[in-house]
């Protein structure tokens, strides 16, 4: 097969953001940012212009991962294992796509028979952490995620600038 010539760089807009291509499941364990015991976050894109982030969530223990409300929509794709929300009767399994509508509050749990779950999420805006009554106890957004990553990459030896490759 013959390919045409690539589109020349001068046909691209000035100031075009740099693309991101990476191995989603890294060989270097330090890339995973710990959130809680047995729960990690692997940044892929931290978008400060549109206020969203995409990342992998990895859980290696059964239990409640988080109870939270989404002010904006979330998309997910389960890569490994399974998980569910206490508020719903479905289980998200490897290969499943999940849409979480804006406004929903739910409690993410991983069941005993799951050794490890890994899920890709695109979270828009923020996640508001709530208690069992649904009252706000904290929140996270793309800036908090960047801060979390930077602190972990400093302490793990990858360096403060390591997070920059994910930021747009
Ligand atoms: Fe959620």
């Amino acid at each position: 097969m013959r390919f045409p010539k690539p589109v020349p760089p001068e046909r691209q807009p000035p100031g075009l953001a740099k693309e991101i291509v990476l191995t989603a499941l890294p060989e270097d364990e330090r890339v995973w940012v710990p959130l809680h015991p047995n729960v990690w976050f692997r940044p892929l894109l931290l978008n400060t212009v549109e206020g969203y982030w995409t990342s992998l969530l990895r859980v290696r223990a059964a239990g409640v991962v988080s109870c939270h409300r989404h002010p904006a929509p979330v998309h997910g794709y389960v890569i490994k294992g399974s998980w569910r929300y206490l508020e719903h009767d479905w289980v998200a399994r490897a290969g499943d796509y999940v849409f979480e509508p804006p406004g929903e509050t739910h409690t993410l749990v991983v069941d005993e028979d799951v050794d490890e779950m890994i899920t890709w999420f695109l979270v828009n805006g923020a996640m508001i952490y709530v208690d069992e009554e649904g009252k706000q106890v904290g929140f996270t957004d793309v800036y908090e995620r960047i801060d979390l990553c930077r602190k972990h990459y400093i302490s793990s030896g990858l360096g403060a600038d390591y997070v920059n490759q994910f930021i747009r």
Side-chain angles (χ1 to χ4, degrees):
M1 183 178 169
R2 259 188 92 245
F3 292 101
K5 284 184 189 162
V7 175
E10 58 269 25
R11 299 297 297 270
Q12 308 290 355
L16 181 68
K18 179 98 178 84
E19 70 278 14
I20 295 176
V21 183
L22 43 72
T23 304
L25 295 171
E27 292 200 357
D28 189 338
E29 180 60 28
R30 295 175 298 172
V31 178
W32 289 96
V33 179
L35 292 176
H36 312 289
N38 299 307
V39 180
W40 297 263
F41 160 85
R42 189 273 195 255
L44 297 167
L45 167 60
L46 303 164
N47 192 316
T48 62
V49 178
E50 291 185 85
Y52 70 82
W53 67 96
T54 74
S55 60
L56 301 183
L57 180 69
R58 184 179 73 183
V59 182
R60 286 183 174 161
V64 174
V65 177
S66 147
C67 183
H68 54 262
R69 180 164 64 246
H70 295 290
V74 173
H75 304 269
Y77 176 77
V78 186
I79 293 170
K80 187 178 179 191
S82 65
W83 52 271
R84 63 192 174 87
Y85 287 125
L86 294 182
E87 293 75 12
H88 295 293
D89 59 6
W90 47 261
V91 177
R93 302 179 193 283
D96 288 352
Y97 163 77
V98 177
F99 166 66
E100 304 180 13
E104 178 161 299
T105 301
H106 47 219
T107 314
L108 198 162
V109 299
V110 173
D111 286 315
E112 292 286 348
D113 60 338
V114 179
D115 297 330
E116 179 180 73
M117 86 80 159
I118 299 175
T119 301
W120 173 83
F121 282 112
L122 189 166
V123 182
N124 288 287
M127 263 173 63
I128 297 167
Y129 298 119
V130 299
D131 63 15
E132 285 179 12
E133 309 283 280
K135 288 197 181 131
Q136 179 168 344
V137 291
F139 81 100
T140 187
D141 62 11
V142 67
Y143 292 102
E144 199 265 350
R145 295 277 136 168
I146 290 169
D147 195 44
L148 199 67
C149 291
R150 203 181 298 282
K151 283 178 178 147
H152 169 69
Y153 293 143
I154 290 169
S155 66
S156 66
L158 288 171
D161 292 342
Y162 192 81
V163 69
N164 294 349
Q165 65 187 293
F166 311 121
I167 302 173
R168 294 292 184 273

